[in-house]
Amino acid sequence: MKQLLVMVLATVVLTACNSTGNPEFRAIDYGPGIAPIAGSLTYGGKSKARLGNMPVGYTFTHEFLNGFGNRVEERYRVLEDGSLDIYSRRITPITIGHGY
């Protein structure tokens, strides 16, 4: 009975650690399926960037401040249909030093 209780508790704890949570709080994201956040070029389902004649596979960086005042750096890739895909995001807190 004790082992069963420990296994159930471990399962609950590990399940909580695996939740997706709010993407605004993640420090680093890599890979497919990164959800756009406010400030992303693809936020709201529309691309704010004019892609022009960018080749398929072209990558570029977009930087902005999120709602918490943190610096967000996103890397985008141009897909075959001309749309953008976020393939990495890094969120860095902005610190104010002593006169630096």
Side-chain angles (χ1 to χ4, degrees), residues 29-64:
D29 261 334
Y30 291 103
I34 298 174
I37 59 175
S40 297
L41 295 176
T42 57
Y43 184 69
K46 295 183 180 179
S47 174
K48 298 174 193 169
R50 293 194 179 265
L51 300 179
N53 293 326
M54 289 186 196
V56 173
Y58 179 78
T59 61
F60 63 95
T61 303
H62 172 62
E63 294 183 15
F64 59 94

Side-chain angles (χ1 to χ4, degrees), residues 7-91:
M7 288 176 50
V8 169
L9 182 62
T11 303
V12 169
V13 170
L14 291 175
T15 303
C17 292
N18 196 21
S19 67
T20 57
N22 186 341
E24 289 271 351
F25 296 123
R26 294 187 193 148
I28 300 175
D29 261 334
Y30 291 103
I34 298 174
I37 59 175
S40 297
L41 295 176
T42 57
Y43 184 69
K46 295 183 180 179
S47 174
K48 298 174 193 169
R50 293 194 179 265
L51 300 179
N53 293 326
M54 289 186 196
V56 173
Y58 179 78
T59 61
F60 63 95
T61 303
H62 172 62
E63 294 183 15
F64 59 94
L65 298 178
N66 68 5
F68 300 102
N70 298 319
R71 184 177 146 253
V72 179
E73 178 183 318
E74 293 181 332
R75 297 278 303 163
Y76 290 87
R77 178 181 305 131
V78 178
L79 300 177
E80 289 182 12
D81 63 356
S83 64
L84 297 177
D85 179 44
I86 304 171
Y87 75 90
S88 74
R89 175 185 296 135
R90 178 180 301 240
I91 300 175

